[in-house]
Amino acid sequence: MNVPGPGGQRPQLPRIVEAETLDHLEPDDPDAQRSRRDLLRVNRVMGAARILGKAMRTAMAGRMPSGRPLRVLEIGCGDGDLLLAASAGLRWPTVDLTLLDRQLLVDFETRRAFATRGWLARTVTADVMQWAIAPSHWPRFDLVVANLFLHHFEADRLADVLEAIAPRCDALVACEPRRVRLALAASHLVGAIGANAVTRKDAVLSVRAGFVEQEISALWPQPAAAAGNGAGSEWQCREYPAGLFSHVFIATRAMAAPTA
Ligand SMILES: C[S@@+](CC[C@H](N)C(=O)[O-])C[C@H]1O[C@@H](n2cnc3c(N)ncnc32)[C@H](O)[C@@H]1O
């Protein structure tokens, strides 16, 4: 039974992380292929490309490098189509793009579409954590992007992932499911847009594992900045609801003061 909170408001949904079916299907499994196509429609309904693109623009305002391409990494990129859609609204100069996922799902057409925008994409097939803790020759990324990815991790594990990623970037943007009753109700209805059984199950699991309030900021390596008390901190975190069903997290590293 849901007992109303002190102000009469209903209590928050508890965060529950369960393994999603799609993550355990082979890339060429027909159900997985169909579910990934469903994901395109789900992202469209959520307005994910617009929300992510806007958050990326916010994160990079006044931070574009000069004299070299912008270095962007997407973690848990899937087939790359969502970032491709988000990039359409960005007027950025050349981007050196790394697309990382445990499965190799980005096809030639997607890479070519990125290339027509000046985004030169390479793929990395790896577990994010193994990649992040491995000794690396990669230069630091200007921006790390995640869409429908961070919610796969329990809090402890997510804190480890963020701690491993933070030293390797100057900004991180994530767009995740919002763990609220409206989104949960909508997740039960994805069958209405033709989603298959895998997507119908994973949609509900995703919302249950989603985020609200300042939950991701609290796991960022320097939570003091998340509380709005970031003076002197290396990082600033912002976290907010977006659209009806999304939750955005932005972390930016403080820029070095110009030398006199
Ligand atoms: C829900 S899909 C989102 C894909 C894409 N970002 C999008 O919005 O369409 C999550 C993706 O994360 C990948 N993934 C899950 N756990 C991972 C891990 N530990 N390391 C790397 N990729 C992972 C899955 O293979 C899957 O492609």
Side-chain angles (χ1 to χ4, degrees), residues 173-191:
V173 166
C175 181
E176 296 295 324
R178 187 157 141 212
R179 199 181 70 248
V180 292
R181 286 180 176 76
L182 177 66
L184 186 60
S187 71
H188 283 283
L189 300 176
V190 295

Side-chain angles (χ1 to χ4, degrees), residues 23 36 43 74 76-78 101-102 126-128 147-149 152:
D23 290 340
R36 289 190 187 280
N43 273 329
E74 183 179 11
C77 65
D101 200 284
R102 215 157 48 176
D127 177 273
V128 68
N147 188 69
L148 297 182
F149 179 62
H152 284 78

Side-chain angles (χ1 to χ4, degrees), residues 198-223:
V198 171
T199 315
R200 293 199 298 274
K201 182 166 178 232
D202 285 355
V204 175
L205 296 183
S206 299
V207 175
R208 289 199 179 281
F211 301 97
V212 289
E213 299 181 348
Q214 305 300 304
E215 288 178 337
I216 306 176
S217 306
L219 300 173
W220 191 253
Q222 288 189 22

Side-chain angles (χ1 to χ4, degrees), residues 5-6 9-15 150 158 162 174-181 207 209-220 223 225-228 237-242 244-251:
Q9 73 275 45
R10 296 170 78 189
Q12 252 177 35
L13 297 173
R15 180 161 192 256
L150 300 187
L158 178 54
L162 297 178
C175 181
E176 296 295 324
R178 187 157 141 212
R179 199 181 70 248
V180 292
R181 286 180 176 76
V207 175
F211 301 97
V212 289
E213 299 181 348
Q214 305 300 304
E215 288 178 337
I216 306 176
S217 306
L219 300 173
W220 191 253
C237 296
R238 277 164 278 180
E239 201 164 344
Y240 54 90
L244 290 176
F245 310 123
S246 298
H247 181 85
V248 170
F249 170 74
I250 302 176

